[in-house]
Amino acid sequence: MSDLRIAVLGVGIMGADHVARLTSRISGARVTVVNDYLTEKADALAATIPGCRSISDPLDAIADPDVDAVVLATPGPTHEKQLLACIENDKPVLCEKPLTTDVATSLEVVKREAEHHRRLIQVGFMRRFDREYAQLKALLDGGELGRALVLHCAHRNPAVPQSFDSAMVVRDSLVHEVDVTRFLFDEEIASIQIITPSANPGAPEGLADPQIAIMRTVSGRHVDVELFVTTGVAYEVRTEVVAEKGSAMIGLDVNVIRKTAAGTWGGQITPGFRERFGQAYDTEFQRWVDAVASGFNVDGPGAWDGYAASAVCEAGVASLNGGGPVEVAMVARDSIPGA
Ligand code: ISE
């Protein structure tokens, strides 16, 4: 079979990473088109890849006959239009989170895909493809620990861009634990509260950091998440499940532990999410390419998962602004046939 021809839209840090992985580590695919609002950037990248062109209009890139499938690494506010164009052109798409930036447009995308009668959209919640998360999921599904009752998470970033505001801690960072909760517990989240303790003096003025998220699932299970995005130290993502017959933790980030003649003991910190989740991104992309090649198009979280995450984050931002727990407003999945 010939290689899948892929257009990568948005070639900032993540998009350029995806171009590199598709070009060098993923089999069965090649990048034929790149696009970015910074046209020179896309032109320069295209020039380094044999058989690749830069197309300046994202919708033209999606419709191009030399493109079988699309990767969206563009800014969130552009996703709705680009996802709808993928549906109109019947092209499978792997869309970096968020699906869209608000609940109404996310729901619209879910409906339009359902009306199309062919699943096309996968959302880039890459943690589901991380070896440790996959092992944790298998452990829970295997039943050895009994019913999972509580999830404790920590999500720490050494730093975030200057443009990061308090709501982005919810929409950009917590969104991963929202998806992890739904993935591990196989149920929707019913309510969320965001607590803002004393801010880190090192955080930019006005950024509520750290934040504590408390979520409750529909069946009443408890989830807490410490979000701290300006630690100045390392990238740390820890997840502990406490269940009826035991507990399990991932993300201790223990690689090689050394003792040195200088009298030191320890290992190396992980600097960022691209290093921590590099394997997860590679596995996600290989499985997506294989799924598209086999006609299934989606092998992982889909449009519904993107919509559910948007709904929880919207409630999270309302709690951040208002203080108390906020109920998550979602339509019932079976009210949209095919979703
Ligand atoms: C970033 O956008 C990501 O997706 C990372 O996985 C997350 O850890 C980080 O907090 C976000 O800003």
Side-chain angles (χ1 to χ4, degrees):
M1 258 192 69
S2 52
D3 281 349
L4 206 65
R5 299 164 304 167
I6 296 185
V8 178
L9 274 56
V11 292
I13 295 176
M14 272 330 291
D17 266 7
H18 293 332
V19 170
R21 68 173 38 87
L22 284 163
T23 307
S24 58
R25 298 195 291 282
I26 303 300
S27 60
R30 63 195 168 90
V31 178
T32 50
V33 167
V34 288
N35 155 272
D36 199 279
Y37 74 98
L38 299 172
T39 321
E40 319 78 59
K41 201 175 189 175
D43 291 348
L45 184 60
T48 66
I49 304 165
C52 181
R53 285 175 298 139
S54 160
I55 297 183
S56 58
D57 183 319
L59 302 186
D60 289 346
I62 291 168
D64 195 88
D66 202 21
V67 167
D68 302 312
V70 178
V71 170
L72 292 186
T74 42
T78 63
H79 286 183
E80 182 196 5
K81 212 167 166 189
Q82 294 167 1
L83 287 166
L84 295 180
C86 289
I87 296 173
E88 269 157 35
N89 286 276
D90 195 31
K91 299 213 173 155
V93 51
L94 175 53
C95 173
E96 276 296 349
K97 54 90 183 164
L99 180 68
T100 70
T101 43
D102 64 80
V103 188
T105 52
S106 288
L107 183 59
E108 181 60 22
V109 168
V110 168
K111 287 181 177 162
R112 294 284 283 275
E113 188 196 40
E115 283 160 16
H116 187 71
H117 298 300
R118 191 167 107 92
R119 291 190 74 197
L120 292 173
I121 301 171
Q122 179 159 333
V123 182
F125 288 125
M126 77 299 185
R127 288 195 192 175
R128 295 188 186 210
F129 301 89
D130 170 65
R131 212 166 282 127
E132 291 187 19
Y133 276 107
Q135 282 170 352
L136 185 58
K137 172 72 173 156
L139 179 66
L140 294 178
D141 288 354
E144 189 187 326
L145 295 184
R147 181 173 161 77
L149 303 170
V150 172
L151 194 57
H152 298 296
C153 309
H155 184 159
R156 301 189 190 131
N157 290 198
V160 282
Q162 276 300 324
S163 55
F164 225 77
D165 62 20
S166 302
M168 283 179 78
V169 176
V170 175
R171 294 191 199 277
D172 213 55
S173 303
L174 176 66
V175 67
H176 286 290
E177 276 77 18
V178 168
D179 186 62
V180 159
T181 301
R182 299 181 61 258
F183 173 58
L184 294 177
F185 284 180
D186 262 328
E187 64 171 321
E188 299 298 352
I189 294 164
S191 70
I192 178 168
Q193 178 173 17
I194 305 286
I195 296 167
T196 53
S198 295
N200 174 18
E205 182 71 30
L207 180 66
D209 186 50
Q211 296 184 16
I212 308 294
I214 296 176
M215 299 187 273
R216 204 177 163 82
T217 65
V218 167
S219 75
R221 295 192 266 190
H222 168 94
V223 181
D224 53 69
V225 187
E226 172 215 311
L227 295 138
F228 189 2
V229 300
T230 59
T231 67
V233 182
Y235 187 72
E236 295 172 83
V237 166
R238 279 206 291 277
T239 306
E240 181 183 25
V241 177
V242 184
E244 270 177 306
K245 298 181 206 160
S247 64
M249 183 187 271
I250 60 167
L252 289 177
D253 226 2
V254 182
N255 293 312
V256 179
I257 303 286
R258 279 177 299 185
K259 291 181 179 175
T260 71
T264 60
W265 178 94
Q268 279 198 315
I269 60 164
T270 303
F273 59 88
R274 290 161 65 217
E275 293 79 7
R276 166 66 181 84
F277 289 113
Q279 167 272 318
Y281 284 116
D282 284 354
T283 306
E284 174 188 48
F285 269 69
Q286 188 62 67
R287 281 179 46 185
W288 175 67
V289 164
D290 295 345
V292 174
S294 68
F296 285 105
N297 297 340
V298 179
D299 179 8
W304 178 265
D305 301 293
Y307 160 66
S310 294
V312 177
C313 290
E314 193 104 326
V317 172
S319 171
L320 178 70
N321 296 330
V326 174
E327 300 291 315
V328 175
M330 277 177 71
V331 301
R333 191 167 188 168
D334 57 14
S335 68
I336 307 170

